[in-house]
Amino acid sequence: MRYIEPHGHMVSRVTDDYVSMVTAGCQAVCEPAFWAGFDRSSVDGFFDYFRQLTEHEPKRAAKFGLPHFSWLCIIPKESEDIKLAEDVIAIIPKFLDRPNVLGIGEIGLNKNSRNELKVLEMHVDLAARHEQLILVHTPHLEDKLKGTRLILDTIKADKRIRPERVIIDHVEEHTIKLVLDTGMWAGMTLYPESKCTPARAIDMVDVYGNERVWMNCACDWGVSDPLAVPKTALEMRRRGHSVKTIDKLIYQNPLRFLGQCSKFKLP
Ligand SMILES: [Zn+2]
């Protein structure tokens, strides 16, 4: 089996997880900027985090022959402070030329607040000005449907953004069609408890097809499984999906989306 982990927060994992992922067939891991497990208090905290994502973490992954890529932003959860968000967004262009940076993400909404929406617009503008791919985080539970609609409207309103260069992550049964209908990509995040279980993800593929969708494990600070993607592939085999179909979903699809950035190259 070969697969790409398109959304994994490796800074929150131990090195043994890299060994397990490579052993399971992982060909590349992509790490969107995320929460550190605590709110950072200044722009300097983000500066060091971006260095970690673009300098240190690729080196840690390379020890196991695994290419590591990253996405940069200030996440919705920490963007309530507009001044801090402006300061962080101002330093991001310094990092965009780094060889493992694929785009702006994971931006989006957390509680659908007015300030979060403003910061989302600032990020979309940043991506448009620098011709970057966009990776979007959608809110949890009762905020998801409304938040997804707000996010899609915000992105569609910026005519510089081409929909096929945007992925909306953490879709669920009630949001996946909404996303795919816009021409954007949809990501399904496989979590043991919340978001989406492997069984639900496979059901969604059965209903909505396997075009413009990918699966990821997120593997962040919360209860999560860095091997959720290959385990879901095994479950697909059990349910009668062909090797070809599985390879498209877990390898070729992420390769197609991420390949829109010329820096995304596999050995
Ligand atoms: Zn994430």
Side-chain angles (χ1 to χ4, degrees):
M1 193 193 307
R2 59 177 183 176
Y3 75 100
I4 292 168
E5 177 49 71
H7 186 148
H9 298 293
M10 300 311 292
V11 303
S12 58
R13 310 306 301 195
V14 296
T15 303
D16 288 350
D17 290 330
Y18 275 119
V19 178
S20 304
M21 289 165 75
V22 171
T23 306
C26 190
Q27 306 292 310
V29 61
C30 307
E31 176 155 9
F34 190 52
W35 198 44
F38 61 93
D39 287 351
R40 280 154 285 218
S41 59
S42 72
V43 66
D44 293 338
F46 283 89
F47 187 88
D48 283 343
Y49 178 51
F50 295 157
R51 283 188 48 229
Q52 185 180 17
L53 288 179
T54 58
E55 295 170 21
H56 176 72
E57 209 56 37
K59 280 188 201 142
R60 193 159 75 113
K63 284 185 188 142
F64 308 96
L66 188 65
H68 175 284
F69 299 91
S70 63
W71 300 73
L72 305 177
C73 73
I74 173 169
I75 64 149
K77 195 178 167 65
E78 286 177 272
S79 62
E80 206 48 60
D81 178 344
I82 297 276
K83 175 74 176 73
L84 176 63
E86 282 171 349
D87 290 349
V88 174
I89 287 172
I91 63 165
I92 290 175
K94 288 191 184 83
F95 292 88
L96 289 178
D97 287 341
R98 297 209 168 177
N100 81 329
V101 176
L102 299 176
I104 303 300
E106 56 189 292
I107 60 173
L109 298 171
N110 183 47
K111 290 285 169 207
N112 300 334
S113 75
R114 200 179 292 267
N115 284 1
E116 285 174 13
L117 204 54
K118 197 163 185 280
V119 175
L120 171 63
E121 285 168 358
M122 286 157 55
H123 276 120
V124 173
D125 174 65
L126 176 72
R129 280 188 285 116
H130 294 271
E131 294 178 14
Q132 297 290 309
L133 296 174
I134 294 177
L135 190 154
V136 179
H137 164 99
T138 48
H140 304 273
L141 303 170
E142 69 275 13
D143 298 317
K144 186 173 290 285
L145 183 59
K146 185 183 172 209
T148 302
R149 286 204 176 109
L150 284 168
I151 289 165
L152 294 176
D153 287 347
T154 304
I155 295 172
K156 281 191 291 184
D158 193 321
K159 299 298 174 207
R160 297 168 295 175
I161 305 290
R162 300 212 312 272
E164 69 273 18
R165 289 173 57 81
V166 180
I167 182 146
I168 309 291
D169 222 325
H170 320 321
V171 298
E172 290 181 30
E173 291 84 346
H174 57 312
T175 58
I176 183 169
K177 188 172 184 304
L178 210 62
V179 170
L180 291 175
D181 284 350
T182 64
M184 297 178 208
W185 283 64
M188 294 180 286
T189 300
L190 308 162
Y191 254 28
E193 293 172 344
S194 61
K195 292 196 171 85
C196 177
T197 61
R200 284 170 58 197
I202 301 168
D203 287 346
M204 279 193 264
V205 172
D206 288 344
V207 174
Y208 298 103
N210 61 8
E211 286 301 325
R212 278 188 289 119
V213 290
W214 78 23
M215 294 193 296
N216 61 78
C217 74
C219 60
D220 51 35
W221 294 98
V223 176
S224 50
D225 179 3
L227 295 183
V229 171
K231 285 179 185 169
T232 302
L234 292 177
E235 175 67 9
M236 287 183 78
R237 286 291 293 281
R238 203 183 61 79
R239 281 173 55 165
H241 291 267
S242 70
V243 170
K244 216 175 133 193
T245 305
I246 296 168
D247 187 66
K248 174 172 165 51
L249 196 61
I250 65 176
Y251 181 77
Q252 292 172 42
N253 276 5
L255 184 64
R256 206 173 110 216
F257 179 81
L258 299 164
Q260 295 182 91
C261 173
S262 60
K263 286 187 260 177
F264 188 80
K265 287 208 175 67
L266 300 185

